[in-house]
Amino acid sequence: MNILILGSGGREHTFAWKIAQSKHCDKLFVAPGNSGTAAIAENVAINGNDFEAIKQLALKEAIDMIVVGPEDPLVNGVHDFILNDPETKHIGVIGPQKAAATLEGSKEFAKEFMMRHNIPTAAYESFTKETLTDGYSFLERLQPPYVLKADGLAAGKGVVILNDLEAAKAELKSMLVDSKFGQASTKVVIEEFLDGIELSCFVLSDGEHYKILPTAKDYKRIGEGDTGLNTGGMGAVSPVPFATKEFLAKIEDRIVKPTIEGFKKDNLPYVGFVFIGLIKVGDDPKVIEYNVRMGDPETEVVFPRLKNDLVEILQAMANGTLNTIELDIDSRAATTIVLVSGGYPETYNKGYEITGLDQVTDSIPFHAGAQLKDGKIVSSGGRVLAITSYGDTYNEAIKKSYQSIEKLHFDKMYYRSDIGFDL
Ligand code: AMP
Ligand code: GLY
């Protein structure tokens, strides 16, 4: 098979790394890819939202399957585009059609889906500019902290949590009236604050059947001890030690099953990954959010633990035969530490040369914001590398990643030295 991956981060390098190992993969393309994918696949300089260019590439290279990494091509309808064109409709697309991708594209849509299907989540109401004063009254009835969420995609920045009522009201006004997040905050969801520890659950769906991948936990804040600004993710571990068998059974019964049933009842075709952001409140799981893709950096710890041929799984997803697949999971733990460019998630520089990658032998260095330039590997984003290791325990794996990091260098390199501290 010829396979095309859309995206350019650590997640997509991990997809490429895993797919390149498959006996079913003939030619592998990544659009646009990074320096990591360049070494194992052919990078093509196409943006994932340029559907016409994707179609032309797919026809020229006889692509059989497109695996979509990030959410925005899905929310913009890449699957629908490929499916509705007679020239490309035979191509399997991994990632839901636009209707179901709205689960990530609109927080209100996701909340309504959960209410309709009795899926445990925080109580909420949503507001627009016209109902601003109702929003103020709702805030007055809640206990702090106040959780305000821009309805649409806001590059991971659309959730604001505040302790002070007046500050929360001002934030609501800024989102709704002053368009703080542009179009994304035309609507704002205000919800009950949930106090607990977070984890991520990844589900494979073929629209009819499902399989649950190993759990993972990511570390979203820039600073040690989970402080400072939110990032895309600074590190991850899998499995999650506090996700016991009993807790996982609750997740499956109360959340995964009604989610997959909900897709069918609501006529939302879903071939792809369901990323359920969960919080453990007491002994019970509640849903924080749905994403319609794999997590990054969670993919960098989940896929290395998957022993199956990934292409066989992807084919089963595309063909509706996921029930015939038995997942084979490595019993070792995997951890990843993300190396970022100093200043991230605020302003940072690009173009720093990365050295030492060839010295790393005990870990898998996945490339994220890194590109080839004049024969050198240079940083091209905030999150630059994700260093994944295995261990019999997660502590052992974390130690290996930190040892590997000592061999790596780029100017202003920063990473958290406390990944896993809370486990
Ligand atoms: P989201 O973009 O929905 O994942 O939200 C970003 C982060 O905000 C989550 O990872 C949580 O840490 C936090 N968060 C979101 N909703 C809530 C909530 N209802 N209660 C507590 N924390 C929340
Ligand atoms: N690591 C969180 C995300 O991918 O959204």
Side-chain angles (χ1 to χ4, degrees):
M1 284 179 84
N2 295 338
I3 300 173
L4 167 64
I5 300 169
L6 302 184
S8 63
R11 168 183 49 212
E12 288 76 19
H13 184 195
T14 313
F15 272 115
W17 170 82
K18 190 73 185 141
I19 289 173
Q21 295 170 35
S22 168
K23 62 175 185 279
H24 303 286
C25 180
D26 297 314
K27 280 172 97 183
L28 179 59
F29 299 87
V30 188
N34 60 26
S35 46
T37 63
I40 51 177
E42 186 177 330
N43 284 354
V44 188
I46 290 176
N47 180 301
N49 287 308
D50 186 347
F51 299 167
E52 189 54 40
I54 292 168
K55 172 184 166 182
Q56 293 313 324
L57 174 69
L59 294 177
K60 176 166 160 258
E61 301 292 353
I63 297 293
D64 301 291
M65 180 183 283
I66 301 177
V67 183
V68 187
E71 65 278 13
D72 48 323
L74 296 168
V75 173
N76 293 335
V78 69
H79 191 150
D80 313 61
F81 180 92
I82 298 294
L83 188 66
N84 295 332
D85 188 317
E87 285 184 279
T88 53
K89 70 175 201 295
H90 62 281
I91 298 174
V93 179
I94 304 298
Q97 293 166 53
K98 189 172 181 157
T102 311
L103 281 172
E104 179 162 359
S106 163
K107 304 260 186 214
E108 186 185 45
F109 180 87
K111 292 301 268 192
E112 287 171 349
F113 177 87
M114 287 184 262
M115 290 296 146
R116 208 162 40 244
H117 302 295
N118 243 324
I119 296 166
T121 186
Y124 81 105
E125 278 190 36
S126 56
F127 302 93
T128 61
K129 195 159 74 178
E130 286 70 35
T131 55
L132 178 66
T133 49
D134 298 338
Y136 290 161
S137 316
F138 185 64
L139 284 170
E140 283 163 9
R141 292 200 300 277
L142 289 176
Q143 296 297 318
Y146 306 96
V147 183
L148 283 73
K149 301 186 171 185
D151 178 59
L153 290 183
K157 298 196 171 74
V159 177
V160 181
I161 301 180
L162 295 163
N163 279 308
D164 179 70
L165 178 62
E166 290 313 312
K169 286 181 179 175
E171 180 67 30
L172 180 65
K173 179 160 182 273
S174 154
M175 284 188 179
L176 290 174
V177 181
D178 309 329
S179 308
K180 179 172 176 187
F181 297 107
Q183 270 291 107
S185 63
T186 321
K187 257 187 213 161
V188 172
V189 169
I190 302 180
E191 62 180 45
E192 165 201 14
F193 180 82
L194 299 174
D195 197 8
I197 187 161
E198 289 177 57
L199 73 157
S200 306
C201 170
F202 299 97
V203 183
L204 310 170
S205 165
D206 66 6
E208 182 67 34
H209 317 97
Y210 68 86
K211 294 281 163 180
I212 303 178
L213 287 169
T215 51
K217 182 178 193 320
D218 89 335
Y219 290 80
K220 286 206 174 100
R221 302 294 194 93
I222 189 73
E224 316 250 304
D226 282 338
T227 54
L229 293 173
N230 252 320
T231 70
M234 297 296 292
V237 306
S238 177
V240 179
F242 63 83
T244 59
K245 229 178 171 166
E246 196 187 9
F247 188 65
L248 290 174
K250 286 183 188 171
I251 295 174
E252 180 162 9
D253 287 342
R254 299 179 192 176
I255 294 167
V256 176
K257 282 182 185 161
T259 296
I260 302 292
E261 283 306 311
F263 294 158
K264 288 188 245 177
K265 286 184 192 150
D266 292 354
N267 201 10
L268 298 171
Y270 203 118
V271 169
F273 301 96
V274 195
F275 165 175
I276 312 179
L278 297 169
I279 188 159
K280 181 172 181 268
V281 183
D283 282 327
D284 295 320
K286 292 198 179 197
V287 178
I288 294 257
E289 63 168 349
Y290 285 108
N291 294 305
V292 298
R293 53 174 173 84
M294 283 300 292
D296 191 354
E298 291 96 325
T299 305
E300 288 93 307
V301 292
V302 172
F303 278 16
R305 297 188 59 223
L306 184 65
K307 295 207 249 176
N308 302 64
D309 183 318
L310 181 58
V311 174
E312 287 175 8
I313 293 180
L314 299 175
Q315 273 180 306
M317 286 162 74
N319 297 337
T321 55
L322 203 47
N323 55 320
T324 64
I325 297 281
E326 192 84 52
L327 294 186
D328 186 8
I329 306 300
D330 195 319
S331 61
R332 289 174 299 172
T335 62
T336 199
I337 315 289
V338 177
L339 307 184
V340 307
S341 195
Y344 172 82
E346 297 184 282
T347 51
Y348 56 84
N349 292 323
K350 299 177 185 177
Y352 296 126
E353 185 180 354
I354 302 161
T355 57
L357 282 163
D358 50 351
Q359 321 266 312
V360 175
T361 48
D362 282 348
S363 304
I364 312 165
F366 289 116
H367 298 212
Q371 292 286 344
L372 279 175
K373 200 176 168 212
D374 306 327
K376 290 177 177 160
I377 297 175
V378 300
S379 70
S380 61
R383 292 193 293 168
V384 178
L385 298 168
I387 310 303
T388 294
S389 310
Y390 296 101
D392 288 332
T393 62
Y394 70 88
N395 271 322
E396 193 184 307
I398 288 171
K399 211 160 122 195
K400 267 196 215 161
S401 284
Y402 284 121
Q403 278 164 357
S404 296
I405 288 170
E406 281 174 25
K407 300 175 178 162
L408 295 165
H409 176 80
F410 57 89
D411 210 14
K412 309 227 166 43
M413 180 171 108
Y414 168 79
Y415 57 90
R416 273 180 62 171
S417 59
D418 69 340
I419 297 305
F421 79 99
D422 55 339
L423 300 176

